[in-house]
Amino acid sequence: FFFGAYEGMIRRGETLQLAAVPSADFRAGNFDQLTGGNVLNPLTGNSTGAGRLPFPGGRLPATAISPTSLAILQQLPLPNQIGNANNLIGGAALLEDQHRFDGKVDHRFSEHSTGFFRYGNTMSTVNRGSLLGLLGDAAQADLRNHNAVASITQSFTDHLAGEFRVGYSRYRNLIQPWGD
């Protein structure tokens, strides 16, 4: 007896993603519409943080925003929804390939001896983009799985049988940033 199978899936398209990005006002240091607290000046108060004063009008002066922060903010897209949470919605690229092979051979060597060999292989790659571009969580994953089993069964008498079985399995799943 023998058996073989293949299963495959190839998907190309987009995946819907939500993100929270700072508004144009927040990027410019204008936090006057921020609810739930004040933006405190870290250069005021004592070393424990007690006595810190809020920035006047909830606005940071341009000199208080670091050049590194400005460079990062320039890489982020602007919101396309209202509010401060989940204010960016859109599609990101999704490429997914899955291939699975399975096979098995059963053999009867004699009236008292049988055996089989089975092998399975799975290969899968997923490349998922990010709505936030280089600053997002774009990732690629590469899965490889091999599995094999061989077995021999021997009947020695009507009440005594033995089996010898050996198996092999190898699993690797590599996940890393997309384009790395």
Side-chain angles (χ1 to χ4, degrees):
F1 171 81
F2 62 92
F3 166 82
Y6 167 78
E7 176 185 351
M9 179 185 74
I10 298 175
R11 183 167 63 162
R12 302 288 183 264
E14 288 189 340
T15 179
L16 185 65
Q17 293 184 348
L18 288 171
V21 294
S23 67
D25 282 345
F26 282 8
R27 293 169 194 238
N30 182 359
F31 295 95
D32 65 349
Q33 295 183 12
L34 182 65
T35 58
N38 293 318
V39 179
L40 301 177
N41 185 341
L43 301 177
T44 61
N46 62 30
S47 61
T48 65
R52 286 195 176 148
L53 300 173
F55 283 103
R59 295 174 187 260
L60 279 66
T63 57
I65 303 173
S66 77
T68 303
S69 296
L70 288 174
I72 292 171
L73 288 170
Q74 289 173 357
Q75 298 297 317
L76 289 173
L78 286 167
N80 58 14
Q81 305 293 312
I82 59 171
N84 295 323
N86 293 331
N87 58 2
L88 180 65
I89 186 170
L94 177 65
L95 311 172
E96 184 175 7
D97 293 350
Q98 292 183 9
H99 303 281
R100 184 172 294 136
F101 304 92
D102 290 300
K104 184 177 181 191
V105 175
D106 288 333
H107 185 71
R108 186 179 195 119
F109 298 104
S110 70
E111 186 70 24
H112 302 288
S113 182
T114 62
F116 74 85
F117 175 76
R118 181 190 71 205
Y119 175 74
N121 179 320
T122 300
M123 297 176 291
S124 177
T125 56
V126 177
N127 294 304
R128 186 196 67 217
S130 173
L131 189 58
L132 301 177
L134 295 175
L135 298 177
D137 63 346
Q140 60 188 19
D142 188 35
L143 168 73
R144 299 288 182 261
N145 183 22
H146 300 273
N147 183 293
V149 176
S151 175
I152 295 177
T153 303
Q154 177 70 42
S155 295
F156 298 105
T157 67
D158 289 343
H159 303 291
L160 181 63
E163 178 182 29
F164 174 77
R165 182 178 289 200
V166 62
Y168 168 80
S169 182
R170 181 175 182 190
Y171 180 86
R172 181 192 69 146
N173 194 9
L174 175 65
I175 301 173
Q176 60 190 14
W178 193 358
D180 190 24

